[in-house]
Amino acid sequence: FHPRYRHHVAPTPRVPIHLDTDHPPIWCKLEFLNPGGSTKDRIARYNLEKAWRQGRLNPRTTVVEASSGSTSIAFALACAQFGLRFVAVMPEGVSNERVLIIRAYGGEVRFTPKEQGVRGSIHEAERLASEGDVFLPRQFANPDNAEAHRLGTAREVIDQIPGGTVDVVV
């Protein structure tokens, strides 16, 4: 494991959208251009790096996350870069493309009954955590997700916006 992955990812570009010539542009940050295809790449990198620094991860740790897709793809990619085993716990019926991407990055996928939704996946992830050296990022309850954006995404936005002044973020 070597926590350098985060520093190899360039900031996502931003583009101006002009809806009306009488109004300033709306700047759109193209987060789909992150390596894993979504803004979830940011939380995956941040959470793994922080857990490593705090000693909650080691090369034998398995990362397990409950997700319906994008977060698991991001963690599968980050874990592949960091040399960590990853298990996505997902409800049956998620798109096959998501499953294929996770597996392409070396992640494993375990399914829970569709009718239980993501809650069932969360319960299964918690059960798996009781079986050994497991790190649960807990995307739905982890305040570090917002911190990843405060320290990373927000800095990029400020650096990329002409004048460095942001009026509104959506």
PDB file of all heavy atoms in Angstrom, residues 123-159:
ATOM      1  N   HIS A 123     -26.456  -3.909   6.351  1.00  0.00           N
ATOM      2  CA  HIS A 123     -26.446  -4.938   7.406  1.00  0.00           C
ATOM      3  C   HIS A 123     -25.453  -6.057   7.079  1.00  0.00           C
ATOM      4  O   HIS A 123     -24.731  -6.526   7.960  1.00  0.00           O
ATOM      5  CB  HIS A 123     -27.855  -5.509   7.620  1.00  0.00           C
ATOM      6  CG  HIS A 123     -28.804  -4.532   8.235  1.00  0.00           C
ATOM      7  ND1 HIS A 123     -28.587  -3.908   9.452  1.00  0.00           N
ATOM      8  CD2 HIS A 123     -29.988  -4.054   7.786  1.00  0.00           C
ATOM      9  CE1 HIS A 123     -29.584  -3.098   9.725  1.00  0.00           C
ATOM     10  NE2 HIS A 123     -30.448  -3.160   8.729  1.00  0.00           N
ATOM     11  N   GLU A 124     -25.401  -6.455   5.827  1.00  0.00           N
ATOM     12  CA  GLU A 124     -24.456  -7.501   5.427  1.00  0.00           C
ATOM     13  C   GLU A 124     -23.015  -7.012   5.543  1.00  0.00           C
ATOM     14  O   GLU A 124     -22.130  -7.758   5.977  1.00  0.00           O
ATOM     15  CB  GLU A 124     -24.754  -7.979   4.009  1.00  0.00           C
ATOM     16  CG  GLU A 124     -23.792  -9.029   3.482  1.00  0.00           C
ATOM     17  CD  GLU A 124     -23.769 -10.343   4.263  1.00  0.00           C
ATOM     18  OE1 GLU A 124     -24.627 -10.576   5.146  1.00  0.00           O
ATOM     19  OE2 GLU A 124     -22.864 -11.165   3.994  1.00  0.00           O
ATOM     20  N   ALA A 125     -22.757  -5.771   5.182  1.00  0.00           N
ATOM     21  CA  ALA A 125     -21.408  -5.218   5.330  1.00  0.00           C
ATOM     22  C   ALA A 125     -20.995  -5.219   6.801  1.00  0.00           C
ATOM     23  O   ALA A 125     -19.863  -5.587   7.139  1.00  0.00           O
ATOM     24  CB  ALA A 125     -21.347  -3.804   4.751  1.00  0.00           C
ATOM     25  N   GLU A 126     -21.906  -4.838   7.669  1.00  0.00           N
ATOM     26  CA  GLU A 126     -21.627  -4.856   9.112  1.00  0.00           C
ATOM     27  C   GLU A 126     -21.329  -6.277   9.589  1.00  0.00           C
ATOM     28  O   GLU A 126     -20.423  -6.490  10.393  1.00  0.00           O
ATOM     29  CB  GLU A 126     -22.802  -4.274   9.896  1.00  0.00           C
ATOM     30  CG  GLU A 126     -23.092  -2.820   9.616  1.00  0.00           C
ATOM     31  CD  GLU A 126     -22.120  -1.854  10.279  1.00  0.00           C
ATOM     32  OE1 GLU A 126     -21.374  -2.266  11.197  1.00  0.00           O
ATOM     33  OE2 GLU A 126     -22.096  -0.677   9.867  1.00  0.00           O
ATOM     34  N   ARG A 127     -22.070  -7.247   9.084  1.00  0.00           N
ATOM     35  CA  ARG A 127     -21.828  -8.643   9.457  1.00  0.00           C
ATOM     36  C   ARG A 127     -20.441  -9.082   9.006  1.00  0.00           C
ATOM     37  O   ARG A 127     -19.693  -9.706   9.761  1.00  0.00           O
ATOM     38  CB  ARG A 127     -22.896  -9.565   8.852  1.00  0.00           C
ATOM     39  CG  ARG A 127     -22.805 -11.011   9.360  1.00  0.00           C
ATOM     40  CD  ARG A 127     -23.671 -11.956   8.547  1.00  0.00           C
ATOM     41  NE  ARG A 127     -23.184 -12.136   7.189  1.00  0.00           N
ATOM     42  CZ  ARG A 127     -22.099 -12.855   6.858  1.00  0.00           C
ATOM     43  NH1 ARG A 127     -21.372 -13.449   7.787  1.00  0.00           N
ATOM     44  NH2 ARG A 127     -21.730 -12.980   5.591  1.00  0.00           N
ATOM     45  N   LEU A 128     -20.079  -8.734   7.776  1.00  0.00           N
ATOM     46  CA  LEU A 128     -18.757  -9.092   7.260  1.00  0.00           C
ATOM     47  C   LEU A 128     -17.642  -8.459   8.089  1.00  0.00           C
ATOM     48  O   LEU A 128     -16.582  -9.051   8.287  1.00  0.00           O
ATOM     49  CB  LEU A 128     -18.619  -8.675   5.795  1.00  0.00           C
ATOM     50  CG  LEU A 128     -19.467  -9.446   4.791  1.00  0.00           C
ATOM     51  CD1 LEU A 128     -19.396  -8.790   3.416  1.00  0.00           C
ATOM     52  CD2 LEU A 128     -19.033 -10.896   4.718  1.00  0.00           C
ATOM     53  N   ALA A 129     -17.902  -7.266   8.595  1.00  0.00           N
ATOM     54  CA  ALA A 129     -16.887  -6.571   9.401  1.00  0.00           C
ATOM     55  C   ALA A 129     -16.586  -7.313  10.694  1.00  0.00           C
ATOM     56  O   ALA A 129     -15.491  -7.198  11.235  1.00  0.00           O
ATOM     57  CB  ALA A 129     -17.344  -5.153   9.706  1.00  0.00           C
ATOM     58  N   SER A 130     -17.536  -8.089  11.158  1.00  0.00           N
ATOM     59  CA  SER A 130     -17.321  -8.830  12.410  1.00  0.00           C
ATOM     60  C   SER A 130     -16.471 -10.082  12.207  1.00  0.00           C
ATOM     61  O   SER A 130     -16.100 -10.740  13.165  1.00  0.00           O
ATOM     62  CB  SER A 130     -18.668  -9.223  13.029  1.00  0.00           C
ATOM     63  OG  SER A 130     -19.315 -10.205  12.217  1.00  0.00           O
ATOM     64  N   GLU A 131     -16.145 -10.381  10.948  1.00  0.00           N
ATOM     65  CA  GLU A 131     -15.430 -11.613  10.644  1.00  0.00           C
ATOM     66  C   GLU A 131     -13.912 -11.468  10.543  1.00  0.00           C
ATOM     67  O   GLU A 131     -13.225 -12.433  10.245  1.00  0.00           O
ATOM     68  CB  GLU A 131     -15.956 -12.211   9.332  1.00  0.00           C
ATOM     69  CG  GLU A 131     -17.390 -12.663   9.415  1.00  0.00           C
ATOM     70  CD  GLU A 131     -17.874 -13.274   8.117  1.00  0.00           C
ATOM     71  OE1 GLU A 131     -17.151 -13.222   7.094  1.00  0.00           O
ATOM     72  OE2 GLU A 131     -18.995 -13.802   8.126  1.00  0.00           O
ATOM     73  N   GLY A 132     -13.366 -10.296  10.743  1.00  0.00           N
ATOM     74  CA  GLY A 132     -11.912 -10.193  10.627  1.00  0.00           C
ATOM     75  C   GLY A 132     -11.420  -8.781  10.457  1.00  0.00           C
ATOM     76  O   GLY A 132     -12.071  -7.817  10.876  1.00  0.00           O
ATOM     77  N   ASP A 133     -10.277  -8.647   9.814  1.00  0.00           N
ATOM     78  CA  ASP A 133      -9.619  -7.359   9.605  1.00  0.00           C
ATOM     79  C   ASP A 133     -10.301  -6.647   8.442  1.00  0.00           C
ATOM     80  O   ASP A 133      -9.923  -6.793   7.284  1.00  0.00           O
ATOM     81  CB  ASP A 133      -8.130  -7.584   9.314  1.00  0.00           C
ATOM     82  CG  ASP A 133      -7.338  -6.298   9.248  1.00  0.00           C
ATOM     83  OD1 ASP A 133      -7.919  -5.214   9.461  1.00  0.00           O
ATOM     84  OD2 ASP A 133      -6.131  -6.377   8.962  1.00  0.00           O
ATOM     85  N   VAL A 134     -11.349  -5.886   8.774  1.00  0.00           N
ATOM     86  CA  VAL A 134     -12.183  -5.228   7.772  1.00  0.00           C
ATOM     87  C   VAL A 134     -12.297  -3.741   8.098  1.00  0.00           C
ATOM     88  O   VAL A 134     -12.452  -3.367   9.263  1.00  0.00           O
ATOM     89  CB  VAL A 134     -13.595  -5.864   7.723  1.00  0.00           C
ATOM     90  CG1 VAL A 134     -14.545  -5.065   6.847  1.00  0.00           C
ATOM     91  CG2 VAL A 134     -13.515  -7.308   7.257  1.00  0.00           C
ATOM     92  N   PHE A 135     -12.212  -2.929   7.064  1.00  0.00           N
ATOM     93  CA  PHE A 135     -12.451  -1.494   7.200  1.00  0.00           C
ATOM     94  C   PHE A 135     -13.754  -1.175   6.491  1.00  0.00           C
ATOM     95  O   PHE A 135     -13.924  -1.491   5.311  1.00  0.00           O
ATOM     96  CB  PHE A 135     -11.305  -0.686   6.590  1.00  0.00           C
ATOM     97  CG  PHE A 135     -11.580   0.791   6.540  1.00  0.00           C
ATOM     98  CD1 PHE A 135     -11.635   1.539   7.708  1.00  0.00           C
ATOM     99  CD2 PHE A 135     -11.793   1.428   5.329  1.00  0.00           C
ATOM    100  CE1 PHE A 135     -11.899   2.905   7.663  1.00  0.00           C
ATOM    101  CE2 PHE A 135     -12.058   2.789   5.269  1.00  0.00           C
ATOM    102  CZ  PHE A 135     -12.104   3.527   6.449  1.00  0.00           C
ATOM    103  N   LEU A 136     -14.685  -0.558   7.214  1.00  0.00           N
ATOM    104  CA  LEU A 136     -15.964  -0.123   6.646  1.00  0.00           C
ATOM    105  C   LEU A 136     -15.949   1.398   6.476  1.00  0.00           C
ATOM    106  O   LEU A 136     -15.966   2.124   7.469  1.00  0.00           O
ATOM    107  CB  LEU A 136     -17.122  -0.488   7.579  1.00  0.00           C
ATOM    108  CG  LEU A 136     -17.455  -1.957   7.756  1.00  0.00           C
ATOM    109  CD1 LEU A 136     -18.575  -2.122   8.784  1.00  0.00           C
ATOM    110  CD2 LEU A 136     -17.861  -2.584   6.445  1.00  0.00           C
ATOM    111  N   PRO A 137     -15.932   1.891   5.259  1.00  0.00           N
ATOM    112  CA  PRO A 137     -15.990   3.345   5.065  1.00  0.00           C
ATOM    113  C   PRO A 137     -17.323   3.955   5.487  1.00  0.00           C
ATOM    114  O   PRO A 137     -17.388   5.125   5.837  1.00  0.00           O
ATOM    115  CB  PRO A 137     -15.773   3.519   3.564  1.00  0.00           C
ATOM    116  CG  PRO A 137     -15.097   2.265   3.127  1.00  0.00           C
ATOM    117  CD  PRO A 137     -15.629   1.181   4.017  1.00  0.00           C
ATOM    118  N   ARG A 138     -18.390   3.185   5.446  1.00  0.00           N
ATOM    119  CA  ARG A 138     -19.730   3.630   5.856  1.00  0.00           C
ATOM    120  C   ARG A 138     -20.141   4.948   5.172  1.00  0.00           C
ATOM    121  O   ARG A 138     -20.398   5.965   5.815  1.00  0.00           O
ATOM    122  CB  ARG A 138     -19.798   3.777   7.371  1.00  0.00           C
ATOM    123  CG  ARG A 138     -19.729   2.476   8.117  1.00  0.00           C
ATOM    124  CD  ARG A 138     -19.848   2.692   9.624  1.00  0.00           C
ATOM    125  NE  ARG A 138     -19.964   1.428  10.318  1.00  0.00           N
ATOM    126  CZ  ARG A 138     -18.922   0.803  10.903  1.00  0.00           C
ATOM    127  NH1 ARG A 138     -17.710   1.340  10.856  1.00  0.00           N
ATOM    128  NH2 ARG A 138     -19.115  -0.347  11.513  1.00  0.00           N
ATOM    129  N   GLN A 139     -20.245   4.894   3.869  1.00  0.00           N
ATOM    130  CA  GLN A 139     -20.522   6.102   3.094  1.00  0.00           C
ATOM    131  C   GLN A 139     -21.750   6.880   3.549  1.00  0.00           C
ATOM    132  O   GLN A 139     -21.797   8.100   3.421  1.00  0.00           O
ATOM    133  CB  GLN A 139     -20.654   5.757   1.610  1.00  0.00           C
ATOM    134  CG  GLN A 139     -21.901   4.960   1.279  1.00  0.00           C
ATOM    135  CD  GLN A 139     -22.226   4.979  -0.186  1.00  0.00           C
ATOM    136  OE1 GLN A 139     -22.211   6.022  -0.826  1.00  0.00           O
ATOM    137  NE2 GLN A 139     -22.515   3.819  -0.738  1.00  0.00           N
ATOM    138  N   PHE A 140     -22.744   6.204   4.077  1.00  0.00           N
ATOM    139  CA  PHE A 140     -23.987   6.886   4.421  1.00  0.00           C
ATOM    140  C   PHE A 140     -23.936   7.598   5.778  1.00  0.00           C
ATOM    141  O   PHE A 140     -24.848   8.336   6.118  1.00  0.00           O
ATOM    142  CB  PHE A 140     -25.160   5.895   4.400  1.00  0.00           C
ATOM    143  CG  PHE A 140     -25.342   5.254   3.053  1.00  0.00           C
ATOM    144  CD1 PHE A 140     -25.041   3.911   2.856  1.00  0.00           C
ATOM    145  CD2 PHE A 140     -25.781   5.995   1.969  1.00  0.00           C
ATOM    146  CE1 PHE A 140     -25.193   3.324   1.608  1.00  0.00           C
ATOM    147  CE2 PHE A 140     -25.933   5.418   0.715  1.00  0.00           C
ATOM    148  CZ  PHE A 140     -25.642   4.080   0.540  1.00  0.00           C
ATOM    149  N   ALA A 141     -22.869   7.354   6.544  1.00  0.00           N
ATOM    150  CA  ALA A 141     -22.776   7.950   7.878  1.00  0.00           C
ATOM    151  C   ALA A 141     -21.408   8.548   8.171  1.00  0.00           C
ATOM    152  O   ALA A 141     -21.142   8.929   9.298  1.00  0.00           O
ATOM    153  CB  ALA A 141     -23.100   6.878   8.923  1.00  0.00           C
ATOM    154  N   ASN A 142     -20.556   8.668   7.176  1.00  0.00           N
ATOM    155  CA  ASN A 142     -19.184   9.065   7.411  1.00  0.00           C
ATOM    156  C   ASN A 142     -18.988  10.568   7.172  1.00  0.00           C
ATOM    157  O   ASN A 142     -19.041  11.028   6.036  1.00  0.00           O
ATOM    158  CB  ASN A 142     -18.247   8.269   6.498  1.00  0.00           C
ATOM    159  CG  ASN A 142     -16.807   8.426   6.866  1.00  0.00           C
ATOM    160  OD1 ASN A 142     -16.413   9.400   7.492  1.00  0.00           O
ATOM    161  ND2 ASN A 142     -15.993   7.464   6.472  1.00  0.00           N
ATOM    162  N   PRO A 143     -18.718  11.332   8.230  1.00  0.00           N
ATOM    163  CA  PRO A 143     -18.500  12.771   8.050  1.00  0.00           C
ATOM    164  C   PRO A 143     -17.240  13.089   7.245  1.00  0.00           C
ATOM    165  O   PRO A 143     -17.084  14.217   6.754  1.00  0.00           O
ATOM    166  CB  PRO A 143     -18.392  13.302   9.483  1.00  0.00           C
ATOM    167  CG  PRO A 143     -18.025  12.122  10.311  1.00  0.00           C
ATOM    168  CD  PRO A 143     -18.615  10.916   9.626  1.00  0.00           C
ATOM    169  N   ASP A 144     -16.352  12.124   7.095  1.00  0.00           N
ATOM    170  CA  ASP A 144     -15.150  12.358   6.292  1.00  0.00           C
ATOM    171  C   ASP A 144     -15.474  12.553   4.816  1.00  0.00           C
ATOM    172  O   ASP A 144     -14.661  13.103   4.078  1.00  0.00           O
ATOM    173  CB  ASP A 144     -14.156  11.200   6.446  1.00  0.00           C
ATOM    174  CG  ASP A 144     -13.495  11.194   7.808  1.00  0.00           C
ATOM    175  OD1 ASP A 144     -13.424  12.266   8.449  1.00  0.00           O
ATOM    176  OD2 ASP A 144     -13.050  10.118   8.242  1.00  0.00           O
ATOM    177  N   ASN A 145     -16.647  12.134   4.377  1.00  0.00           N
ATOM    178  CA  ASN A 145     -17.030  12.359   2.979  1.00  0.00           C
ATOM    179  C   ASN A 145     -17.128  13.857   2.699  1.00  0.00           C
ATOM    180  O   ASN A 145     -16.608  14.345   1.701  1.00  0.00           O
ATOM    181  CB  ASN A 145     -18.347  11.664   2.655  1.00  0.00           C
ATOM    182  CG  ASN A 145     -18.230  10.164   2.753  1.00  0.00           C
ATOM    183  OD1 ASN A 145     -17.134   9.611   2.784  1.00  0.00           O
ATOM    184  ND2 ASN A 145     -19.359   9.490   2.833  1.00  0.00           N
ATOM    185  N   ALA A 146     -17.787  14.585   3.593  1.00  0.00           N
ATOM    186  CA  ALA A 146     -17.881  16.034   3.429  1.00  0.00           C
ATOM    187  C   ALA A 146     -16.501  16.667   3.557  1.00  0.00           C
ATOM    188  O   ALA A 146     -16.168  17.616   2.836  1.00  0.00           O
ATOM    189  CB  ALA A 146     -18.841  16.626   4.463  1.00  0.00           C
ATOM    190  N   GLU A 147     -15.692  16.137   4.453  1.00  0.00           N
ATOM    191  CA  GLU A 147     -14.331  16.652   4.635  1.00  0.00           C
ATOM    192  C   GLU A 147     -13.504  16.481   3.364  1.00  0.00           C
ATOM    193  O   GLU A 147     -12.712  17.364   3.006  1.00  0.00           O
ATOM    194  CB  GLU A 147     -13.674  15.929   5.816  1.00  0.00           C
ATOM    195  CG  GLU A 147     -12.328  16.459   6.183  1.00  0.00           C
ATOM    196  CD  GLU A 147     -12.370  17.793   6.922  1.00  0.00           C
ATOM    197  OE1 GLU A 147     -13.456  18.355   7.138  1.00  0.00           O
ATOM    198  OE2 GLU A 147     -11.284  18.282   7.272  1.00  0.00           O
ATOM    199  N   ALA A 148     -13.691  15.362   2.670  1.00  0.00           N
ATOM    200  CA  ALA A 148     -12.966  15.134   1.408  1.00  0.00           C
ATOM    201  C   ALA A 148     -13.282  16.234   0.411  1.00  0.00           C
ATOM    202  O   ALA A 148     -12.390  16.726  -0.289  1.00  0.00           O
ATOM    203  CB  ALA A 148     -13.339  13.767   0.828  1.00  0.00           C
ATOM    204  N   HIS A 149     -14.527  16.644   0.368  1.00  0.00           N
ATOM    205  CA  HIS A 149     -14.919  17.713  -0.562  1.00  0.00           C
ATOM    206  C   HIS A 149     -14.489  19.086  -0.053  1.00  0.00           C
ATOM    207  O   HIS A 149     -14.100  19.952  -0.838  1.00  0.00           O
ATOM    208  CB  HIS A 149     -16.424  17.669  -0.818  1.00  0.00           C
ATOM    209  CG  HIS A 149     -16.828  16.459  -1.582  1.00  0.00           C
ATOM    210  ND1 HIS A 149     -16.430  16.243  -2.881  1.00  0.00           N
ATOM    211  CD2 HIS A 149     -17.558  15.374  -1.223  1.00  0.00           C
ATOM    212  CE1 HIS A 149     -16.921  15.087  -3.300  1.00  0.00           C
ATOM    213  NE2 HIS A 149     -17.601  14.545  -2.312  1.00  0.00           N
ATOM    214  N   ARG A 150     -14.544  19.284   1.247  1.00  0.00           N
ATOM    215  CA  ARG A 150     -14.108  20.571   1.801  1.00  0.00           C
ATOM    216  C   ARG A 150     -12.634  20.810   1.507  1.00  0.00           C
ATOM    217  O   ARG A 150     -12.243  21.900   1.097  1.00  0.00           O
ATOM    218  CB  ARG A 150     -14.343  20.603   3.310  1.00  0.00           C
ATOM    219  CG  ARG A 150     -14.063  21.974   3.930  1.00  0.00           C
ATOM    220  CD  ARG A 150     -14.335  21.996   5.422  1.00  0.00           C
ATOM    221  NE  ARG A 150     -13.302  21.332   6.185  1.00  0.00           N
ATOM    222  CZ  ARG A 150     -12.096  21.869   6.483  1.00  0.00           C
ATOM    223  NH1 ARG A 150     -11.791  23.071   6.056  1.00  0.00           N
ATOM    224  NH2 ARG A 150     -11.220  21.197   7.191  1.00  0.00           N
ATOM    225  N   LEU A 151     -11.822  19.775   1.672  1.00  0.00           N
ATOM    226  CA  LEU A 151     -10.379  19.924   1.479  1.00  0.00           C
ATOM    227  C   LEU A 151      -9.943  19.781   0.021  1.00  0.00           C
ATOM    228  O   LEU A 151      -8.932  20.353  -0.370  1.00  0.00           O
ATOM    229  CB  LEU A 151      -9.630  18.896   2.334  1.00  0.00           C
ATOM    230  CG  LEU A 151      -9.792  19.048   3.842  1.00  0.00           C
ATOM    231  CD1 LEU A 151      -9.120  17.899   4.571  1.00  0.00           C
ATOM    232  CD2 LEU A 151      -9.245  20.389   4.304  1.00  0.00           C
ATOM    233  N   GLY A 152     -10.672  18.999  -0.759  1.00  0.00           N
ATOM    234  CA  GLY A 152     -10.275  18.739  -2.142  1.00  0.00           C
ATOM    235  C   GLY A 152     -11.098  19.484  -3.169  1.00  0.00           C
ATOM    236  O   GLY A 152     -10.609  20.396  -3.836  1.00  0.00           O
ATOM    237  N   THR A 153     -12.347  19.117  -3.278  1.00  0.00           N
ATOM    238  CA  THR A 153     -13.217  19.695  -4.304  1.00  0.00           C
ATOM    239  C   THR A 153     -13.336  21.209  -4.148  1.00  0.00           C
ATOM    240  O   THR A 153     -13.203  21.955  -5.129  1.00  0.00           O
ATOM    241  CB  THR A 153     -14.628  19.067  -4.243  1.00  0.00           C
ATOM    242  OG1 THR A 153     -14.513  17.663  -4.084  1.00  0.00           O
ATOM    243  CG2 THR A 153     -15.423  19.385  -5.493  1.00  0.00           C
ATOM    244  N   ALA A 154     -13.574  21.666  -2.941  1.00  0.00           N
ATOM    245  CA  ALA A 154     -13.746  23.107  -2.715  1.00  0.00           C
ATOM    246  C   ALA A 154     -12.488  23.882  -3.106  1.00  0.00           C
ATOM    247  O   ALA A 154     -12.575  24.945  -3.732  1.00  0.00           O
ATOM    248  CB  ALA A 154     -14.097  23.375  -1.257  1.00  0.00           C
ATOM    249  N   ARG A 155     -11.324  23.345  -2.761  1.00  0.00           N
ATOM    250  CA  ARG A 155     -10.069  24.013  -3.126  1.00  0.00           C
ATOM    251  C   ARG A 155      -9.936  24.101  -4.643  1.00  0.00           C
ATOM    252  O   ARG A 155      -9.541  25.122  -5.181  1.00  0.00           O
ATOM    253  CB  ARG A 155      -8.899  23.230  -2.526  1.00  0.00           C
ATOM    254  CG  ARG A 155      -7.529  23.762  -2.881  1.00  0.00           C
ATOM    255  CD  ARG A 155      -7.118  24.943  -2.017  1.00  0.00           C
ATOM    256  NE  ARG A 155      -7.429  26.203  -2.686  1.00  0.00           N
ATOM    257  CZ  ARG A 155      -7.729  27.339  -2.071  1.00  0.00           C
ATOM    258  NH1 ARG A 155      -7.780  27.400  -0.780  1.00  0.00           N
ATOM    259  NH2 ARG A 155      -8.001  28.423  -2.744  1.00  0.00           N
ATOM    260  N   GLU A 156     -10.281  23.012  -5.335  1.00  0.00           N
ATOM    261  CA  GLU A 156     -10.227  23.027  -6.804  1.00  0.00           C
ATOM    262  C   GLU A 156     -11.171  24.079  -7.375  1.00  0.00           C
ATOM    263  O   GLU A 156     -10.813  24.814  -8.293  1.00  0.00           O
ATOM    264  CB  GLU A 156     -10.598  21.656  -7.383  1.00  0.00           C
ATOM    265  CG  GLU A 156      -9.529  20.622  -7.275  1.00  0.00           C
ATOM    266  CD  GLU A 156      -9.961  19.306  -7.902  1.00  0.00           C
ATOM    267  OE1 GLU A 156     -10.823  19.310  -8.810  1.00  0.00           O
ATOM    268  OE2 GLU A 156      -9.436  18.273  -7.473  1.00  0.00           O
ATOM    269  N   VAL A 157     -12.389  24.132  -6.854  1.00  0.00           N
ATOM    270  CA  VAL A 157     -13.374  25.080  -7.357  1.00  0.00           C
ATOM    271  C   VAL A 157     -12.851  26.503  -7.189  1.00  0.00           C
ATOM    272  O   VAL A 157     -12.870  27.298  -8.134  1.00  0.00           O
ATOM    273  CB  VAL A 157     -14.734  24.901  -6.643  1.00  0.00           C
ATOM    274  CG1 VAL A 157     -15.676  26.067  -6.941  1.00  0.00           C
ATOM    275  CG2 VAL A 157     -15.380  23.585  -7.055  1.00  0.00           C
ATOM    276  N   ILE A 158     -12.368  26.815  -6.014  1.00  0.00           N
ATOM    277  CA  ILE A 158     -11.862  28.168  -5.766  1.00  0.00           C
ATOM    278  C   ILE A 158     -10.680  28.490  -6.676  1.00  0.00           C
ATOM    279  O   ILE A 158     -10.588  29.587  -7.225  1.00  0.00           O
ATOM    280  CB  ILE A 158     -11.503  28.338  -4.274  1.00  0.00           C
ATOM    281  CG1 ILE A 158     -12.788  28.355  -3.458  1.00  0.00           C
ATOM    282  CG2 ILE A 158     -10.680  29.607  -4.037  1.00  0.00           C
ATOM    283  CD1 ILE A 158     -12.583  28.236  -1.968  1.00  0.00           C
ATOM    284  N   ASP A 159      -9.795  27.517  -6.849  1.00  0.00           N
ATOM    285  CA  ASP A 159      -8.630  27.735  -7.715  1.00  0.00           C
ATOM    286  C   ASP A 159      -9.010  27.894  -9.187  1.00  0.00           C
ATOM    287  O   ASP A 159      -8.316  28.570  -9.938  1.00  0.00           O
ATOM    288  CB  ASP A 159      -7.634  26.579  -7.580  1.00  0.00           C
ATOM    289  CG  ASP A 159      -6.920  26.566  -6.237  1.00  0.00           C
ATOM    290  OD1 ASP A 159      -6.988  27.577  -5.502  1.00  0.00           O
ATOM    291  OD2 ASP A 159      -6.300  25.528  -5.919  1.00  0.00           O
TER     292      ASP A 159
END
